[in-house]
Amino acid sequence: MYGSSDFEYLFIRYKAESMPQGESIQTFCIKSKVSYNLFYKWYKDINRFYYLRKSHDMRCKYDRVLLIIHEQFHREPMYDEAFIVMSKDRRKVRLSS
């Protein structure tokens, strides 16, 4: 059985590897041998992850990340939300909450 951390890892992998190529989450789940129904249930229950689409300079600090969140999502981050930022070369990932 999969745990929450397994689905978090799968979600980050999907956003980093498959989403830029236009692959659907269902196809990614099938390719990764994970039940799409279980993943979707987890996603609906925990939908607190936001992916910042454009890659950013990883040297930016929390204030810059907050500015980017305001620009892209027009919202204030809540205590139980996580924002995923990727470097331009897509080798580094930063989670901000």
Side-chain angles (χ1 to χ4, degrees), residues 28-86:
F28 180 75
C29 285
I30 291 169
K31 193 166 58 171
S32 300
K33 298 178 182 171
V34 174
S35 168
Y36 172 73
N37 292 337
L38 289 175
F39 176 79
Y40 186 73
K41 182 184 179 319
W42 169 83
Y43 182 75
K44 290 287 282 183
D45 290 345
I46 250 203
N47 191 11
R48 298 180 311 216
F49 290 92
Y50 298 93
Y51 177 65
L52 302 176
R53 289 178 194 89
K54 297 179 184 175
S55 40
H56 298 281
D57 187 357
M58 294 306 282
R59 294 174 294 177
C60 64
K61 301 297 180 207
Y62 187 71
D63 293 335
R64 175 73 176 131
V65 173
L66 280 178
L67 181 64
I68 294 167
I69 291 167
H70 286 294
E71 289 174 357
Q72 286 191 15
F73 295 107
H74 307 289
R75 62 180 293 131
E76 285 289 328
M78 304 295 282
Y79 71 94
D80 61 347
E81 296 176 328
F83 294 87
I84 303 166
V85 181
M86 297 201 84

Side-chain angles (χ1 to χ4, degrees), residues 7-25 28-29 32 39 42-43 47-55 72-73 82-87 90-95:
F7 287 126
E8 288 175 23
Y9 175 73
L10 182 75
F11 183 68
I12 291 170
R13 267 192 49 220
Y14 168 72
K15 293 290 187 176
E17 299 169 7
S18 298
M19 187 177 182
Q21 298 174 358
E23 185 176 310
S24 73
I25 188 70
F28 180 75
C29 285
S32 300
F39 176 79
W42 169 83
Y43 182 75
N47 191 11
R48 298 180 311 216
F49 290 92
Y50 298 93
Y51 177 65
L52 302 176
R53 289 178 194 89
K54 297 179 184 175
S55 40
Q72 286 191 15
F73 295 107
F83 294 87
I84 303 166
V85 181
M86 297 201 84
S87 64
R90 298 195 180 276
R91 290 183 168 192
K92 297 178 185 172
V93 175
R94 177 182 284 170
L95 293 174

